[in-house]
Amino acid sequence: MSVTADIQRLRTELGKLASFSETPAPAVTRVVFGDMDLRARDYLKTLFAEASLVVHEDPVGNTFARWLGRGKSLSPIATGSHCDAIPNAGRFDGTVGVIGGLEAIRALQRSGFEPQRSIDLVMFTAEEPTRFGIGCLGSRLISGALDSSVGDTLTSEGRTLNELRLAAGFSGRLIDVPLSPGAYGAFVELHIEQGPILDREQLDIGVVTAIAAPASLRIIVDGEGGHAGAVMMSDRHDAFLAAAEIALAIEAAARATGSPDTVATTGVCEVFPGAINSIPSQARLDVDVRDVDLRCRDAVLAAITAACDGVEGRRGVTVRLEPINADPPARCASPIVNAITTACETRGLRHRTMVSRAYHDSLFMSRIAPTGMIFIPCRDGISHRPDEYASPEAIGRGTEVLADTLAALAG
Ligand code: GLV
Ligand code: MN
Ligand code: MN
């Protein structure tokens, strides 16, 4: 059985997918349920149909494209990733796992392989937190990590998740999204590393053994607005300056754990009313904190709470801290890790085990299925930027390792 990825086709299809973007190339921005997301979904569904996959969409828009196996009573296995892209992103984050997953299935089909277990290619809704403020929305719901009430509580520009998914054509009840543990016999996700290790060490494949624990929170500072000329400095309660102090305290807290694995980012700062001659009366920070070690991650969260209390007292502002998520890390399942490693060795590829510092839908799929991840190098480790790049050859190698792994798991 010779399984070979069609590198040219991978490149063409990733290029076409990148053209569905709200920002001009090379940047890609594709916000879930936006016009570009819906057009990208239509394009992908055409590709799925061409490969004779049976497509099913759940009420939140998670899309399942099934290659039917011969053993009807056996639990299926699955692969997949996401196609939404944060503002000003690149073209490879997530999409490599969807187009690569599809090409892995097509390569197996071309080789004459007939799976015992069905193989699902899953495209998850809103892995990125851009629209609803929480990452991995689709896979969180699938795994039962998120309650269906979020349909009414998560909002974007004044419209609820339920309103927006219905407008995008996804009806039905969110309560029907979760899959039971055991619904899949295995889940394997192909993804770019989004870090520098594979590129630096000139390796072909990273075999992921664990996924770091992410947390995010929103901090709202209420101060006192006023005229930028008339209010004396000594009388001010500037919400932005209080928020700035908190942001610096967050950086210090992440550095203070002493572990290079602790990272904290204040990626959003919104100031109200946002006028040059008006003292900010309110500031909002959205903060992301991660570590593979839960104790370090939680030490930073505790330090952030203390910093907010301190700033409140010193600057005469009020600070509200709203946790968004604080998820535990995930361990990849040994049988999947072994299957990926065997595929690398059989193909003579240079590989190593590694931890994923980024989160992925695999973090939540691991709650309902034995899960593993295949990383491929991306140039200089750059990601979440327009100059994100993975070579067609690297994507081809990852796709072939995925195909071998799926073949081994599907029997
Ligand atoms: C995923 O996009 C992440 O932020 O890790
Ligand atoms: Mn991403
Ligand atoms: Mn991703």
Side-chain angles (χ1 to χ4, degrees), residues 268-286:
V268 175
C269 174
E270 278 187 2
V271 173
F272 183 83
I276 190 171
N277 54 353
S278 177
I279 300 163
S281 61
Q282 190 180 74
R284 185 192 107 196
L285 304 178
D286 285 353

Side-chain angles (χ1 to χ4, degrees), residues 253-324:
R255 289 179 184 276
T257 68
S259 163
D261 292 331
T262 319
V263 286
T265 309
T266 302
V268 175
C269 174
E270 278 187 2
V271 173
F272 183 83
I276 190 171
N277 54 353
S278 177
I279 300 163
S281 61
Q282 190 180 74
R284 185 192 107 196
L285 304 178
D286 285 353
V287 182
D288 177 302
V289 186
R290 312 185 194 199
D291 199 305
V292 252
D293 182 339
L294 211 47
R295 282 168 312 164
C296 288
R297 202 262 330 254
D298 289 346
V300 176
L301 294 179
I304 293 174
T305 305
C308 290
D309 290 346
V311 167
E312 209 171 34
R314 272 199 314 282
R315 287 189 169 267
V317 295
T318 58
V319 184
R320 264 180 301 144
L321 203 153
E322 297 173 359
I324 298 171

Side-chain angles (χ1 to χ4, degrees), residues 129-217:
T130 314
R131 182 134 209 195
F132 294 106
I134 187 161
C136 299
L137 177 63
S139 51
R140 268 179 206 275
L141 284 164
I142 285 180
S143 71
L146 206 55
D147 190 79
S148 60
S149 59
V150 294
D152 293 316
T153 54
L154 289 181
T155 57
S156 166
E157 290 164 1
R159 297 174 76 191
T160 65
L161 166 59
N162 278 339
E163 287 165 358
L164 287 162
R165 69 184 175 90
L166 270 172
F170 303 111
S171 56
R173 305 175 316 162
L174 287 188
I175 204 166
D176 294 327
V177 172
L179 297 176
S180 48
Y184 286 122
F187 179 76
V188 194
E189 181 171 2
L190 171 66
H191 206 284
I192 56 170
E193 183 202 335
Q194 303 182 287
I197 295 171
L198 297 176
D199 191 46
R200 200 178 281 160
E201 297 180 4
Q202 301 204 331
L203 299 174
D204 301 311
I205 298 289
V207 184
V208 177
T209 53
I211 305 172
S216 61
L217 53 134

Side-chain angles (χ1 to χ4, degrees), residues 68-403:
L68 281 171
R70 283 178 299 162
K72 299 274 182 290
S73 58
L74 298 170
S75 59
I77 62 163
T79 184
S81 196
H82 63 99
C83 282
D84 58 330
I86 66 163
N88 209 38
R91 67 170 61 176
F92 300 98
D93 176 5
T95 54
V96 160
V98 176
I99 296 286
L102 173 62
E103 178 54 19
I105 288 174
R106 291 185 305 217
L108 287 168
Q109 291 173 337
R110 289 195 296 273
S111 76
F113 176 75
E114 290 183 10
Q116 278 291 337
R117 295 173 187 272
S118 295
I119 302 178
D120 274 6
L121 172 61
V122 190
M123 195 201 68
F124 296 95
T125 285
E127 191 267 354
E128 302 290 8
T130 314
R131 182 134 209 195
F132 294 106
I134 187 161
C136 299
L137 177 63
S139 51
R140 268 179 206 275
L141 284 164
I142 285 180
S143 71
L146 206 55
D147 190 79
S148 60
S149 59
V150 294
D152 293 316
T153 54
L154 289 181
T155 57
S156 166
E157 290 164 1
R159 297 174 76 191
T160 65
L161 166 59
N162 278 339
E163 287 165 358
L164 287 162
R165 69 184 175 90
L166 270 172
F170 303 111
S171 56
R173 305 175 316 162
L174 287 188
I175 204 166
D176 294 327
V177 172
L179 297 176
S180 48
Y184 286 122
F187 179 76
V188 194
E189 181 171 2
L190 171 66
H191 206 284
I192 56 170
E193 183 202 335
Q194 303 182 287
I197 295 171
L198 297 176
D199 191 46
R200 200 178 281 160
E201 297 180 4
Q202 301 204 331
L203 299 174
D204 301 311
I205 298 289
V207 184
V208 177
T209 53
I211 305 172
S216 61
L217 53 134
R218 175 161 291 177
I219 297 170
I220 298 163
V221 182
D222 282 298
E224 214 171 283
H227 195 288
V231 182
M232 313 279 282
M233 293 309 281
S234 54
D235 291 337
R236 294 192 184 199
H237 303 281
D238 184 319
F240 166 69
L241 293 178
E245 262 197 49
I246 293 169
L248 289 173
I250 291 169
E251 183 200 21
R255 289 179 184 276
T257 68
S259 163
D261 292 331
T262 319
V263 286
T265 309
T266 302
V268 175
C269 174
E270 278 187 2
V271 173
F272 183 83
I276 190 171
N277 54 353
S278 177
I279 300 163
S281 61
Q282 190 180 74
R284 185 192 107 196
L285 304 178
D286 285 353
V287 182
D288 177 302
V289 186
R290 312 185 194 199
D291 199 305
V292 252
D293 182 339
L294 211 47
R295 282 168 312 164
C296 288
R297 202 262 330 254
D298 289 346
V300 176
L301 294 179
I304 293 174
T305 305
C308 290
D309 290 346
V311 167
E312 209 171 34
R314 272 199 314 282
R315 287 189 169 267
V317 295
T318 58
V319 184
R320 264 180 301 144
L321 203 153
E322 297 173 359
I324 298 171
N325 65 290
D327 304 298
R331 298 248 156 261
C332 294
S334 309
I336 317 289
V337 169
N338 294 342
I340 297 168
T341 307
T342 303
C344 293
E345 279 164 5
T346 308
R347 287 187 178 266
L349 297 174
R350 292 156 298 178
H351 61 95
R352 60 164 280 174
T353 53
M354 62 195 307
V355 156
S356 171
R357 291 156 194 278
Y359 59 69
H360 302 282
D361 293 303
S362 287
L363 184 67
F364 293 96
M365 290 306 282
S366 71
R367 297 187 182 196
I368 60 158
T371 291
M373 291 195 75
I374 301 166
F375 274 179
I376 58 164
C378 53
R379 189 175 58 203
D380 297 331
I382 287 168
S383 184
H384 281 185
R385 276 170 41 176
D387 51 343
E388 176 181 271
Y389 179 76
S391 73
E393 293 73 23
I395 299 170
R397 283 190 282 273
T399 299
E400 288 169 355
V401 169
L402 175 63

Side-chain angles (χ1 to χ4, degrees), residues 30-83:
R30 202 160 40 237
V31 177
V32 71
F33 301 149
D35 186 44
M36 288 301 164
D37 176 47
L38 298 182
R39 287 175 56 186
R41 286 167 183 265
D42 283 345
Y43 169 62
L44 288 167
K45 282 185 278 186
T46 311
L47 297 183
F48 298 161
E50 279 169 14
S52 306
L53 307 182
V54 182
V55 175
H56 149 77
E57 292 165 320
D58 77 7
V60 79
N62 290 315
T63 302
F64 305 79
R66 175 163 294 190
W67 183 18
L68 281 171
R70 283 178 299 162
K72 299 274 182 290
S73 58
L74 298 170
S75 59
I77 62 163
T79 184
S81 196
H82 63 99
C83 282

